[in-house]
């Protein structure tokens, strides 16, 4: 439970493995500026919001911040579809997504998150962006954006909560607007990571059954098929493109895809 600070390990496993193997982020501290074991334990025993508030000052010094490779692959896939007007990063954290969002948008860019600590770090790093503190299950926007992105946030939502998020995203987008996010291919059952992630989810279920406040973070609750179904039910037209820059599996299929969910155009 001590490494639950970034929910997209499914498609960042190569980067994480390389970091650990190289010694760049030696255990138990990821880097000299990173969180200690005690700080990670405090985060793991907090609520989601409280945990990220605690971790925020050191979050960017862990291997769990969205890797530049993921941001770059996403930007490369979105660039031919733009330029876009206004942009929003959903569950923006410390603002890493702004690295790819700002160059794609001609208008203002905004980040939304419910952690005051993470937003404070984002404001410091990107003073030319706007920042909003809000629960993404009740986004306070209406037809305000042309492009919305999100990186590794869905594990913090129970499956029953995704429809509220996607309905809010749909309302926040202008007609013909685009919601884009990368999603990893499932790990094969023969992979050690399959069992590691399964064990993590089981451990988190036990933790939340025995400890309050709960920390919602599950790796296996948002497969592409379920996410696509929820998006379609919210009114989106959904397609995907492979993010081949992030590698391929042994069967040749991409390790990650970019989900492209569009709202209906004006009549």
């Amino acid at each position: 439970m001590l490494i639950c600070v970034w929910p997209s390990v499914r498609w960042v496993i190569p980067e994480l493995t390389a970091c650990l193997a190289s010694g760049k982020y030696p255990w138990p501290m990821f880097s000299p500026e990173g969180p200690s074991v005690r700080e990670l334990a405090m985060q793991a025993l907090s609520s989601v919001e409280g945990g990220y508030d605690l971790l925020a000052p050191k979050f960017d010094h862990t291997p769990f911040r969205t890797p530049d490779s993921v941001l770059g692959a996403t930007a490369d896939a979105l660039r031919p579809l733009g330029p876009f007007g206004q942009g929003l990063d959903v569950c923006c954290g410390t603002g890493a997504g702004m690295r790819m969002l700002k160059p794609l948008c001609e208008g203002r860019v905004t980040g939304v998150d419910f952690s005051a600590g993470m937003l404070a770090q984002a404001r410091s790093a990107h003073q030319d962006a706007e920042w909003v503190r809000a629960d993404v299950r009740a986004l306070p926007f209406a037809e305000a954006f042309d492009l919305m992105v999100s990186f590794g946030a869905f594990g913090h939502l129970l499956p029953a909560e995704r429809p509220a998020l996607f309905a809010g995203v749909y309302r926040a987008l202008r007609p013909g607007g685009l919601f884009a996010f990368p999603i990893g291919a499932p790990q094969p059952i023969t992979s050690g990571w399959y069992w590691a992630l399964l064990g993590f989810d089981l451990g988190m279920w036990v933790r939340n059954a025995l400890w309050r406040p709960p920390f919602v973070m599950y790796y296996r609750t948002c497969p592409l098929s379920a996410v696509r179904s929820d998006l379609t039910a919210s009114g989106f037209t959904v397609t995907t493109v492979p993010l081949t820059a992030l590698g391929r599996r042994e069967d040749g299929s991409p390790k990650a895809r970019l989900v492209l969910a569009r709202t209906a155009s004006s009549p």
Side-chain angles (χ1 to χ4, degrees):
M1 287 185 290
L2 300 185
I3 60 170
C4 58
V5 293
W6 198 65
S8 295
V9 169
R10 278 185 299 184
W11 40 271
V12 180
I13 284 170
E15 286 80 359
L16 174 56
T17 304
C19 285
L20 296 177
S22 69
K24 183 179 178 182
Y25 298 103
W27 189 262
M29 293 180 65
F30 301 119
S31 72
E33 298 83 15
S36 67
V37 171
R38 178 178 179 274
E39 288 170 324
L40 287 172
M42 292 175 62
Q43 182 260 346
L45 295 176
S46 302
S47 65
V48 180
E49 180 180 352
Y52 277 108
D53 284 346
L54 290 171
L55 194 62
K58 298 183 177 181
F59 183 79
D60 286 347
H61 299 291
T62 74
F64 304 107
R65 182 188 70 82
T66 307
D68 289 341
S69 59
V70 174
L71 296 174
T74 300
D76 289 344
L78 288 175
R79 194 171 295 113
L81 305 178
F84 301 92
Q86 319 284 357
L88 177 70
D89 186 356
V90 180
C91 299
C92 62
T94 57
M98 289 297 167
R99 296 167 181 248
M100 56 76 60
L101 187 60
K102 286 191 287 188
L104 294 174
C105 296
E106 297 177 332
R108 81 177 190 280
V109 290
T110 304
V112 60
D113 203 283
F114 74 160
S115 167
M118 298 291 269
L119 286 173
Q121 298 299 312
R123 288 191 184 95
S124 177
H126 302 277
Q127 298 182 14
D128 55 341
E130 296 184 13
W131 306 98
V132 176
R133 186 182 181 194
D135 187 332
V136 298
R137 294 168 297 185
L139 287 169
F141 309 109
E143 294 193 4
F145 302 101
D146 305 284
L147 172 65
M148 296 173 67
V149 298
S150 189
F151 297 94
F154 298 159
H156 289 308
L157 298 171
L158 296 173
E161 296 174 316
R162 278 199 307 263
L165 166 65
F166 293 159
V169 170
Y170 196 99
R171 288 193 303 270
L173 283 167
R174 294 185 176 122
L178 179 65
F179 180 38
F181 53 90
I183 194 166
Q187 296 295 316
I189 194 171
T190 55
S191 166
W193 281 106
Y194 174 94
W195 298 102
L197 297 177
L198 176 60
F200 180 95
D201 280 4
L202 290 174
M204 185 60 69
W205 183 86
V206 172
R207 178 255 188 244
N208 288 334
L210 299 176
W211 188 267
R212 292 291 183 273
F215 192 104
V216 177
M217 177 62 255
Y218 298 100
Y219 288 106
R220 296 165 48 83
T221 58
C222 46
L224 176 58
S225 58
V227 170
R228 183 195 294 269
S229 178
D230 289 343
L231 286 166
T232 301
S234 295
F236 287 100
T237 299
V238 183
T239 58
T240 68
V241 295
L243 296 177
T244 55
L246 298 180
R248 294 185 178 275
R249 304 196 299 172
E250 291 184 0
D251 63 2
S253 61
K255 289 183 177 180
R257 291 181 173 275
L258 187 67
V259 176
L260 303 172
R262 281 201 181 273
T263 61
S265 300
S266 298

